[in-house]
Amino acid sequence: MDQADILILGGGLVGSALAVALDAHGISAIVIDPADPETILGASFDGRASAIASAPMRMFEAIGVAGRLAGKGCPIEGIRVSDGLAPGKLDFAPDADDGALGHMFENRVLRTALFEAAQAAPLADVRMQTRAVSVERGPHGVVATLDSGATVRAQLLIAAEGRNSPTRDSAGFKVARWTYDHAAMIATLNHERSHENIAYEIFYPQGPFAILPLLDDENGHRSAVVWTVKGSDAAAMHKISDRAYLAEAEKKMGGFLGKLGPLSSRSSYPLGFHHAAWITAERLALVGDAAHGIHPIAGQGVNVGFRDVATLVEVLVDGKRLGLDMGDPELLARYQRWRGLDTFMVALATDGLTRLFGIPGALPHAARRFGLSAVDRIPPLKSWFMGEARGESGDVPKLLQGITA
């Protein structure tokens, strides 16, 4: 098609999810992405894993993606947070009838499921290995010229290009950003004892150490590890042997998973923060990392992007029912109001936690232990944190409730 309701630049996890969700509501989209599918869907492309909260999982069920993920993710039956290996912890466990807090998926599994769902969606035209040479937004719509020579038109442009979104930057959005002088070391490892479907977040002054449960493989029990180190230490960490890495990881864990190994290939990426002060402009909306990028301390990064998707779809569907143009300023203003405060509060909370747990010294350590234990004993406060972890706090869009808008 050369004309659609929506033009999406970026076909990653969030862009693909948006195209599928729009299709489920009778809204057409053209998705443009320069990546080669064979590369991005390959086993070696992205070694990360993501915790998908229960609310986005309900959205996947509502838009028909959950079936493609069936049996490929590990349910998260609990979360344990501690400040180092000292006593004083915070445990999150759902009630028996509440279901899992979320599911851990390897990113390549998520990417494949969403990409294939977008390709199969009748109202989604996915064009990979394609770039938009120029994009013009005006009072009457959006016109893009592609490097294939084609010209496509839409009522609304969505930037889903990730942290370094050229569309966001060329549109002149003001973005607050800084780096943490931290790097996240990513690996998958096997271990002797079962993780029992529990996710662990152990905070050290150098940064958090997360152990995230994955499905067993031929080598037995398995978890993804996100090990945050000082940026200046990342290169040295890459050079140590697998044996040395596993020995250090066992110390960080306190040995509770038993003997570790084998170890997957390792990768790392620098950690930073960015937040666009405004996420809409004339016939333009930002979603996912194009709008906000946060520290992975609470595992909410991609979930915030899926919340963008659910919110934007509900706004556009409501506008369509009223006979409004998809790029109507009132619709974009509603999206801005709905998402603006929520994303800012999540960004503020994750940044604050990163700085709080990074303060060295015995007194801050004791205060954090006391705080964790106190929250663990106060049911209303603990329930609030559980709602945040599930993605069920605030004004929840219909798709995150499992309801088509």
Side-chain angles (χ1 to χ4, degrees), residues 346-362:
V346 172
L348 192 65
T350 55
D351 183 67
L353 284 172
T354 301
R355 298 181 189 279
L356 174 64
F357 280 93
I359 300 173

Side-chain angles (χ1 to χ4, degrees), residues 310-332:
T311 304
L312 182 58
V313 169
E314 185 165 335
V315 167
L316 294 177
V317 169
D318 287 349
K320 182 180 178 181
R321 287 173 180 155
L322 295 172
L324 297 177
D325 184 297
M326 294 283 136
D328 188 283
E330 289 301 316
L331 296 182
L332 296 179

Side-chain angles (χ1 to χ4, degrees), residues 25 100 105 120 145 176 296 305:
H25 292 84
F105 292 99
T145 301

